[in-house]
């Protein structure tokens, strides 16, 4: 028993001594946590350099765009071919991807050798050999009669300008075929395939093996957005935000970046970490000075590093009693599979003795322990360096997503990772230590890069098909110039109809006279009350106007109008309004003051005088009974009488659009048009009295409230109305009415977007085909979301957050489509506004007999003010459709409040002038 203990003690002591000896000798290969964190920072800097347009040419980490923009979503299906060229064997694969609610992949494959004379010979012969192997596979599998898409896994650094094109930058590993560098490998293979007349294959995607690994794993785990290969060579790829990739046009979405991290350090960034053994190995390689990071990590080199270390230790008398065998001098005699065998947990020492004996050495027990520890240090350093670079990528992903904690999956492949008994465990542990704020799952790729190429091809096919369907929907909203000219001309016809006595009853654009016959001239002064009713809020204002300096001061209070009042009786509505006025007068200390009052009433009214307005119909969700067909001024006067607390001089009933024009007219004499682009849609302008057949007199001008929201109610816009417009109309409070408004105004644009999103989701093109309950809710997609989503400053991540608020779990690709839908709907709205406005300014030009008209349009409304592109598109459309009009757009400052007071002031001034005359 004592002897056993003695032996155990002796062996433990021996082991400790040998380990210490090796540790001292390979001191520089043992990397501290501090050094690894430094490598993380260096690699992050190299990534940034590789992504920048100006810095990329000198970057060692090339960060190559792959043009793979999406990961599998599970809806891919069909048959695909895949080729994998890049390792010791060449593989052809047929992949059957079927959807059927579950992710199902069936594969048939065949391996072909890659003889040295082929991979180091002539480039043309290499691609002809690949084409011959493909033809052989297709004959064997009876696929010759089928037209199949193909994905090519090509495991060498390539510069891609599209998914199906790639120029070889440099050969790596053992490949050295002549005449290929600097040429498009897809073209070379396509040309080689042409020699086989019976081969009908389309190369849809050129894929790096690392990208293939990521795609294979992403098919099983949608969280996978990183791929890493640690095999013969080493590399990594990940999904980067397009906004950070300066080498590719466009900021939308994400794209897979092939880092080509094997070249990290080629610029000297790792010189302090490289050892004499790394330098010796590099000098004896096929590509000295290149792929220096790879030479410290990958399976092609680890065995050789171990051999060089053992040789040096033997020469120094630290191993084998100073004896060296001839085999130990031969390059490549120790391979990575030997390193893996020597590090096995139980049989490692026995394997070490056997391998060393095969090399013609006579190792002692101590030698075997020392050699095993050399292998551990070399492979541990490899795992450490890999972990540091991967930690840099994971940190970048987390920062891109602006998350405190990232949950992600890394797809792994490569012989070193697969066959080395300790490697995965070491790598995972170090990664988790370096990035404690990332929850990382490591997923081993099944069938690796070849299946991945088929997945990229399947995704490319799916995206292509989906793109066609999405474009078909968006095309409905893209109006041609011809269509816009048609809208302008139809609007002109409707304007004329509305002005004429005979055709007015049938006109959809009502052209209501407002009895506002003058614009402010700067002499207006006094205190005025203004009321503003046009939405869910009601405002009461006190407006003080001072003449001479054109100064206006305003005081106001906002009151809510509850839904039960909006949709109750007319008496209840006007009693509520008077209650609000009483509260305001109390608040301002004006009880008992008799002030002139202007009433902004933003609903279609037929006026028989400036203080007489008969409501034609409610819009914007109002439904109060016993109001339509009644004079709203009389109803307000009756309510004031019922309260019997104060008396007010109601001078004018005003539409908010007219108020907008008057506010801007106070600042700019050229302002003759008012435009509202907000919750509702309307326009007014100063018309020649001689053209207004509904009002007596031919002298001067009068403002016409067009109420153009009803344009198209006679079917004249049916050629451009879509199924989505019809759905929105049918679900509205007033089906068949205000059709132009329903295509252009803020109250409806979000609802049009919602209808499109539902349709695209039903077609399986969005949100994985899942329609959330929130998306089914009418009015959930407010127009303010369009403005936010279309903001140029908003990253897709923020778009996804907005969609999440709406209960929509969107992918990056979904967010792009939603942004496009919002853009198409708001662009059409702005263009339709522009076409309508072009008809009005052209009419004003012709009526005044001008060759060229200079005119200002006063504009108000949240859509015009807050949407990032609406105003620009509207202005451009007017310019194009009314080229002889020089139109200035002026933002109105509180048209419905200040405007109402100004109209009241102008009306008082004109009354005074009439009395004096």
């Amino acid at each position: 028993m004592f002897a056993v203990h003695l032996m155990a003690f002796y062996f433990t002591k021996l082991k400790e001594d040998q380990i210490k000896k090796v540790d001292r000798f390979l001191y520089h290969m043992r990397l501290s946590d501090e050094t690894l964190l430094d490598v993380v920072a260096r690699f992050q800097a190299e990534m940034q350099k590789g992504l920048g347009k100006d810095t990329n040419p000198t970057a060692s980490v090339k960060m190559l765009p792959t043009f793979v923009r999406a990961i599998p979503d599970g809806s891919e299906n069909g048959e695909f071919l895949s080729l994998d060229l890049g390792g010791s064997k060449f593989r052809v694969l047929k992949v059957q991807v079927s959807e059927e609610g579950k992710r199902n992949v069936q594969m048939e494959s065949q391996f072909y050798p890659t003889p040295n004379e082929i991979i180091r010979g002539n480039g043309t012969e290499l691609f002809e050999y690949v084409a011959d192997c493909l033809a052989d596979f297709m004959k064997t599998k009876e696929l010759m009669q089928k037209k199949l898409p193909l994905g090519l896994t090509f495991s060498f650094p390539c510069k891609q300008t599209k998914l199906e094109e790639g120029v070889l930058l440099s050969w790596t590993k053992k490949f050295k075929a002549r005449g290929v560098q600097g040429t498009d490998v897809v073209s070379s293979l396509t040309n080689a395939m042409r020699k086989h007349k019976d081969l009908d294959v389309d190369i849809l995607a050129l894929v790096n093996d690392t990208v293939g690994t990521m795609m294979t794993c992403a098919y099983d785990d949608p969280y996978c957005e990183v791929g890493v290969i640690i095999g013969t060579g080493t590399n990594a790829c990940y999904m980067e935000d397009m906004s950070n990739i300066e080498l590719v046009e466009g900021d939308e979405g994400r794209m897979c970046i092939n880092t080509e991290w094997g070249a990290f350090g080629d610029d000297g960034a790792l010189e302090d970490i490289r050892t004499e053994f790394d330098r010796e190995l590099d000098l004896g390689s096929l590509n000295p000075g290149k792929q220096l990071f790879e030479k410290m990590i990958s399976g092609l080199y680890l065995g050789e590093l171990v051999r060089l270390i053992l040789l040096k230790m033997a020469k120094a008398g630290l191993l084998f009693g100073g004896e060296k065998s001839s085999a130990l001098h031969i390059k490549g005699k120790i391979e990575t599979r030997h390193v893996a065998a020597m590090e096995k947990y139980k049989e490692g020492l026995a394997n070490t003795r056997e391998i060393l004996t095969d090399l013609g050495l006579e190792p002692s027990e101590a030698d075997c322990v020392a050699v095993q520890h050399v292998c551990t240090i070399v492979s541990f350093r490899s795992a450490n360096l890999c972990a540091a670079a991967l930690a840099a990528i994971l940190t970048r992903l987390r920062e891109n997503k602006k998350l405190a904690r990232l949950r992600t999956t890394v797809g792994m492949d490569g012989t070193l990772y697969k066959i080395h008994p300790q490697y995965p465990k070491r790598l995972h542990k170090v990664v988790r230590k370096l990035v404690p704020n990332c929850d990382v799952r490591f997923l081993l790729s099944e069938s690796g890069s070849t299946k991945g190429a088929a997945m990229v091809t399947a995704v490319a096919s799916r995206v292509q098909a989906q793109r066609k369907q999405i474009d078909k929907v968006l095309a409905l909203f893209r109006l041609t110039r011809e269509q816009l000219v048609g809208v302008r001309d139809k609007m002109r016809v409707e304007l004329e109809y509305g002005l004429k006595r005979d055709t007015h009853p049938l006109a959809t654009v009502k052209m209501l006279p407002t009895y506002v016959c003058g614009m402010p001239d700067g002499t207006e002064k006094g205190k005025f009350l203004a009321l503003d009713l046009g939405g869910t809020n009601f405002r009461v204002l006190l407006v003080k106007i001072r003449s001479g300096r054109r100064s206006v001061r305003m005081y106001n209070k906002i009151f809510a109008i509850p839904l039960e009042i909006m949709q109750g009786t007319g008496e209840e509505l006007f009693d509520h309004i008077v209650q609000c006025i009483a509260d305001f007068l109390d608040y301002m200390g004006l009880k008992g003051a008799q002030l002139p009052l202007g009433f902004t009433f933003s609903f279609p009214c037929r006026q028989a005088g400036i203080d007489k307005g008969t409501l034609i119909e409610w819009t914007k969700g109002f439904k109060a009974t016993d109001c339509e067909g009644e004079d709203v001024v009389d109803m307000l006067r009756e309510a004031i009488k019922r309260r019997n607390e104060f008396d007010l001089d109601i001078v004018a009933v005003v539409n908010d659009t007219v108020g907008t024009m008057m506010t801007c007219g106070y600042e700019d004499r050229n302002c003759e048009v008012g435009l509202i682009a907000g919750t509702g849609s309307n326009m007014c302008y100063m018309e020649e009295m001689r053209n207004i057949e509904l009002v007596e007199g031919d002298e001067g001008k009068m403002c016409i409230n067009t109420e153009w929201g009803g344009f198209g109610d006679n079917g004249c816009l049916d050629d451009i109305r879509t199924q989505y417009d019809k759905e929105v109309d049918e679900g509205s409070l007033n089906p068949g009415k205000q059709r132009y408004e329903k295509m252009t105004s803020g109250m409806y644009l979000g609802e049009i977007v919602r209808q499109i999103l539902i349709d695209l989701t039903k077609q399986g093109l969005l949100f994985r085909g899942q329609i959330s309950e929130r998306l089914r809710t009418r009015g959930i997609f407010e127009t303010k979301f369009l403005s936010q989503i279309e903001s140029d400053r908003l990253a897709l991540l923020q778009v996804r957050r907005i969609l999440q608020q709406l209960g929509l779990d969107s992918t990056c690709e979904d967010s792009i489509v939603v942004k496009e839908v919002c853009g198409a709907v708001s662009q059409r709205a702005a263009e339709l506004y522009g076409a309508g406005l072009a008809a009005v300014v052209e009419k004003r030009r012709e009526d005044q007999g001008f060759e060229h008209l200079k005119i200002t349009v006063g504009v108000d409304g949240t859509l015009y003010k807050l949407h990032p592109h609406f105003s620009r598109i509207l202005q451009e459309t007017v310019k194009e459709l009314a080229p002889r009009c020089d139109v200035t757009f002026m933002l109105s400052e509180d048209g419905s409040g200040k405007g109402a007071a100004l109209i009241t002031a102008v009306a008082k001034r004109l009354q005074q002038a009439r009395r004096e005359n």
Side-chain angles (χ1 to χ4, degrees):
M1 191 69 186
F2 177 71
V4 171
H5 280 298
L6 194 63
M7 278 300 291
F9 172 76
Y10 165 74
F11 186 74
T12 307
K13 184 87 177 69
L14 173 83
K15 197 169 181 181
E16 279 174 10
D17 290 346
Q18 293 305 311
I19 285 171
K20 278 178 187 166
K21 177 175 76 177
V22 172
D23 281 348
R24 278 196 301 274
F25 191 76
L26 296 180
Y27 173 75
H28 283 300
M29 278 196 165
R30 297 179 66 80
L31 305 173
S32 66
D33 288 354
E34 195 183 345
T35 304
L36 290 177
L37 286 168
D38 190 32
V39 173
V40 172
R42 291 185 213 182
F43 191 71
Q44 280 178 306
E46 283 299 319
M47 288 168 79
Q48 193 60 44
K49 207 170 160 187
L51 289 169
K53 201 171 193 170
D54 299 334
T55 47
N56 176 273
T58 57
S60 57
V61 179
K62 281 299 173 199
M63 303 296 281
L64 304 171
T66 64
F67 295 83
V68 171
R69 295 170 188 264
I71 59 172
D73 68 358
S75 66
E76 293 77 14
N77 61 12
E79 271 187 316
F80 305 93
L81 287 170
S82 181
L83 300 179
D84 185 2
L85 182 66
S88 48
K89 287 177 189 163
F90 160 58
R91 188 181 184 196
V92 186
L93 188 81
K94 187 200 90 167
V95 181
Q96 173 79 47
V97 184
S98 56
E99 182 187 356
E100 297 161 10
K102 56 185 185 293
R103 300 179 178 220
N104 186 12
V105 178
Q106 292 170 329
M107 296 183 291
E108 296 176 58
S109 73
Q110 172 82 45
F111 283 99
Y112 294 90
T114 47
N116 267 345
E117 63 271 19
I118 292 286
I119 65 172
R120 294 188 184 182
N122 182 294
T124 310
E125 286 167 11
L126 170 65
F127 288 108
E128 282 174 359
Y129 174 73
V130 171
D132 293 345
C133 295
L134 176 63
D136 174 72
F137 177 81
M138 291 184 76
K139 279 187 189 116
T140 311
K141 303 293 177 190
E142 297 177 352
L143 297 170
M144 279 308 205
Q145 305 313 311
K146 292 186 176 180
K147 183 178 174 69
L148 293 173
L150 179 141
L152 169 61
T153 302
F154 192 70
S155 314
F156 305 96
C158 279
K159 186 180 181 188
Q160 287 187 260
T161 47
K162 43 187 165 192
L163 186 59
E164 69 284 8
E165 185 183 278
V167 173
L168 177 68
L169 294 176
S170 62
W171 286 117
T172 57
K173 294 166 267 197
K174 290 180 178 175
F175 280 68
K176 268 285 185 188
R178 296 184 301 279
V180 184
Q181 214 163 311
T183 65
D184 175 19
V185 293
V186 174
S187 296
S188 302
L189 181 55
T190 306
N191 291 337
M193 289 193 305
R194 282 202 189 107
K195 295 189 176 171
H196 295 269
K197 302 290 181 204
D198 45 359
L199 212 58
D200 192 3
V201 169
D202 262 350
I203 303 177
L204 275 196
L206 173 72
V207 184
N208 179 280
D209 54 348
T210 323
V211 181
T213 296
M214 182 189 79
M215 293 298 268
T216 301
C217 295
Y219 187 67
D220 299 318
D221 181 346
Y223 280 100
C224 182
E225 47 193 348
V226 183
V228 174
I229 288 192
I230 313 166
T232 313
T234 182
N235 195 10
C237 69
Y238 72 103
M239 295 301 286
E240 176 61 86
D241 290 358
M242 279 289 288
S243 54
N244 296 330
I245 308 170
E246 292 182 12
L247 302 168
V248 179
E249 288 292 310
D251 283 345
E252 302 298 353
R254 300 198 301 166
M255 184 183 283
C256 180
I257 288 290
N258 165 21
T259 65
E260 287 297 339
W261 76 9
F264 177 37
D266 287 6
D267 58 355
L270 297 175
E271 280 314 296
D272 55 328
I273 289 169
R274 290 175 74 225
T275 66
E276 59 182 292
F277 307 108
D278 297 309
R279 292 188 179 93
E280 194 178 337
L281 179 143
D282 178 43
L283 285 172
S285 69
L286 283 169
N287 53 352
K290 303 263 176 80
Q291 301 294 105
L292 298 182
F293 191 60
E294 181 169 83
K295 286 170 183 168
M296 297 162 82
I297 286 173
S298 80
L300 189 60
Y301 304 103
L302 288 197
E304 183 60 8
L305 271 175
V306 168
R307 184 189 73 82
L308 292 170
I309 293 165
L310 298 189
L311 190 60
K312 176 106 188 240
M313 287 182 80
K315 281 178 181 172
L318 297 171
L319 282 178
F320 319 125
E323 293 295 321
K324 308 173 289 295
S325 68
S326 58
L328 194 58
H329 283 88
I330 299 170
K331 184 178 163 188
K333 265 295 181 184
I334 298 179
E335 295 173 24
T336 298
R337 64 189 172 90
H338 298 135
V339 176
M342 289 191 270
E343 282 195 74
K344 278 199 171 161
Y345 179 57
K346 282 184 179 163
E347 60 265 45
L349 275 175
N351 290 343
T352 306
R353 180 175 293 282
E354 190 182 322
I355 289 161
L356 293 173
T357 306
D358 287 348
L359 287 170
L361 296 161
E362 293 176 12
S364 65
E365 198 70 48
D367 289 335
C368 291
V369 170
V371 170
Q372 190 181 41
H373 194 53
V374 168
C375 292
T376 300
I377 287 177
V378 169
S379 60
F380 216 125
R381 184 185 69 157
S382 165
N384 276 341
L385 288 171
C386 244
L390 179 53
I393 289 174
L394 295 172
T395 302
R396 187 170 180 89
L397 275 177
R398 185 180 61 76
E399 287 171 356
N400 281 351
K401 294 183 181 194
K402 296 181 172 58
L403 295 173
R405 191 163 196 86
L406 173 74
R407 175 189 171 184
T408 194
T409 298
V410 178
M412 299 295 303
D413 203 356
T415 45
L416 179 57
Y417 183 85
K418 283 177 175 173
I419 67 161
H420 192 292
Q422 317 295 334
Y423 202 98
K425 195 167 56 185
R426 289 171 185 164
L427 177 79
H428 303 171
K429 190 176 176 183
V430 180
V431 167
R432 288 176 179 132
K433 188 161 61 173
L434 294 174
V435 279
N437 46 7
C438 295
D439 298 318
V440 190
R441 178 188 180 209
F442 290 88
L443 183 60
L444 189 60
S445 165
E446 169 208 339
S447 307
S449 49
T450 328
K451 176 182 167 187
M455 291 317 310
V456 173
T457 311
V459 170
S461 295
R462 165 177 66 80
V463 168
Q464 227 172 49
Q466 288 177 340
R467 190 69 252 172
K468 269 185 193 158
Q469 287 172 278
I470 290 162
D471 285 345
K472 200 170 159 188
V473 170
L474 296 180
L476 300 171
F477 290 85
R478 298 209 171 101
L479 302 177
T480 62
R481 189 179 191 283
E482 196 181 353
Q483 285 172 315
L484 288 169
V485 167
V487 172
R488 179 197 68 191
D489 295 347
K490 286 172 190 171
M491 177 67 87
R492 178 67 186 269
V493 169
E494 289 296 319
L495 296 175
E496 303 290 357
Y497 269 18
L499 288 170
K500 295 198 167 20
R501 187 176 280 109
D502 298 342
T503 49
H504 178 83
L506 297 172
T508 57
V509 179
K510 284 298 174 199
M511 305 297 280
L512 304 171
T514 64
Y515 294 86
V516 171
C517 297
M519 298 295 284
D521 64 1
T523 63
E524 295 77 16
K525 61 180 181 187
K527 285 183 188 174
F528 303 89
L529 266 187
L531 310 181
D532 176 15
L533 179 68
T536 49
N537 288 330
F538 169 64
R539 279 194 312 157
V540 186
L541 302 96
L542 174 68
V543 182
K544 294 181 180 177
I545 303 174
R546 291 168 67 185
S547 63
R549 287 189 302 166
R550 291 185 181 240
S551 151
V552 177
R553 292 183 73 183
M554 292 186 289
Y555 309 87
N556 74 78
K557 201 160 195 250
I558 295 172
F559 302 89
I561 299 197
L563 190 65
E564 62 271 19
I565 300 278
M566 282 169 71
Q567 299 185 0
T569 66
E571 200 168 282
E572 286 167 344
L573 174 63
F574 282 93
D575 283 348
H576 179 74
I577 287 169
V578 171
Q579 173 66 55
C580 296
I581 297 169
D583 289 352
F584 179 76
L585 292 173
D586 238 6
Y587 171 73
M588 293 299 295
L590 289 169
K591 223 169 184 180
Q594 257 214 322
L595 296 171
L597 180 144
F599 183 13
T600 298
F601 188 74
S602 306
F603 302 93
C605 277
R606 184 169 283 106
Q607 286 187 254
I610 195 161
D611 63 345
K612 292 178 171 53
T614 302
L615 175 64
I616 297 171
E617 62 181 343
W618 285 118
T619 56
K620 303 176 202 169
F622 276 74
K623 278 281 182 185
T625 57
D626 309 321
C627 294
E628 290 178 1
E630 299 295 326
D631 184 338
V632 293
V633 176
D634 286 346
M635 292 183 84
L636 181 59
R637 284 185 179 134
E638 290 296 321
I640 290 170
K641 262 189 209 157
R642 277 197 298 278
R643 188 163 183 98
N644 199 21
E645 265 184 34
F646 49 81
D647 196 16
L648 296 168
D649 175 15
I650 305 171
V651 174
V653 62
V654 183
N655 179 281
D656 57 345
T657 322
V658 183
T660 294
M661 181 187 76
M662 291 298 267
T663 303
C664 293
Y666 189 61
E667 309 289 336
D668 181 344
R669 294 268 173 97
N670 278 332
C671 184
E672 284 201 340
V673 181
L675 183 71
I676 296 276
T679 312
S681 166
N682 197 13
M683 193 268 307
C684 71
Y685 72 102
M686 294 303 284
E687 177 60 271
E688 306 298 323
M689 280 291 287
R690 65 176 185 272
N691 295 332
I692 308 170
E693 293 185 6
L694 303 170
V695 179
E696 293 295 313
D698 287 346
E699 294 301 316
K701 299 179 200 173
M702 182 185 285
C703 179
I704 290 290
N705 167 21
T706 65
E707 286 298 338
W708 76 1
F711 177 42
D713 288 1
N714 59 0
C716 71
L717 294 179
D718 284 0
D719 59 324
I720 59 168
R721 283 179 81 226
T722 67
Q723 70 191 74
Y724 311 106
D725 296 307
K726 288 167 190 162
E727 280 160 2
V728 168
D729 180 37
E730 283 158 18
S732 68
L733 287 168
N734 53 351
K737 302 219 172 134
Q738 299 293 101
R739 287 181 177 180
Y740 184 64
E741 180 169 84
K742 284 170 187 168
M743 294 165 84
T744 55
S745 81
M747 188 165 183
Y748 300 101
L749 296 190
E751 190 56 16
I752 297 171
V753 168
R754 188 181 74 87
Q755 292 294 349
I756 298 169
L757 298 187
I758 287 174
D759 185 40
L760 292 177
T761 309
K762 278 181 185 167
Q763 291 182 53
L765 303 172
L766 274 182
F767 311 130
R768 300 179 183 88
Q770 305 294 311
I771 302 176
S772 70
E773 275 312 306
R774 295 287 301 278
L775 191 57
R776 292 180 202 275
T777 312
R778 187 178 304 285
I780 192 72
F781 207 99
E782 295 171 46
T783 298
K784 70 173 181 183
F785 293 133
L786 268 79
S787 298
Q788 290 170 3
I789 286 168
E790 286 188 70
S791 167
D792 294 329
R793 295 191 305 278
L794 204 65
L796 280 181
L797 202 64
Q798 290 155 295
V799 174
R800 285 177 78 176
R801 287 208 185 116
I802 292 168
L803 295 174
Q804 273 164 0
Q805 286 168 26
L806 298 170
L808 302 170
D809 182 21
S810 69
T811 63
C812 186
E813 290 70 44
D814 291 338
S815 304
I816 294 172
V817 174
V818 171
K819 197 166 183 176
E820 284 184 88
V821 169
C822 292
V825 170
S826 59
Q827 177 164 336
R828 183 190 67 162
E831 287 174 344
L832 287 174
Y833 258 104
L837 187 54
V840 173
V841 294
E842 268 297 300
K843 181 179 185 336
R844 290 302 296 134
R845 185 186 66 77
E846 287 173 22
D847 284 349
Q848 293 172 77
F850 291 158
E851 184 61 35
H852 199 89
L853 174 70
K854 195 174 169 57
I855 192 168
T856 297
V857 176
V859 199
D860 203 354
T862 48
L863 193 55
Y864 187 90
K865 283 178 172 174
L866 301 180
H867 190 282
H869 309 300
F870 192 91
S871 57
R872 174 182 53 78
I873 297 166
L874 189 157
Q875 290 170 27
E876 285 169 0
T877 308
V878 173
K879 197 171 187 176
E880 191 175 341
L881 299 183
R884 289 195 278 176
C885 298
D886 181 6
V887 184
T888 302
F889 289 82
M890 184 179 187
L891 266 180
S892 161
E893 181 204 332
D894 196 6
S896 41
K898 182 177 169 182
L902 284 166
I903 290 168
T904 307
V906 171
K908 288 300 261 182
R909 191 191 80 218
L910 295 175
Q911 277 174 13
Q912 185 72 28
R914 276 197 294 275
R915 279 197 210 105
E916 286 169 6
N917 284 339

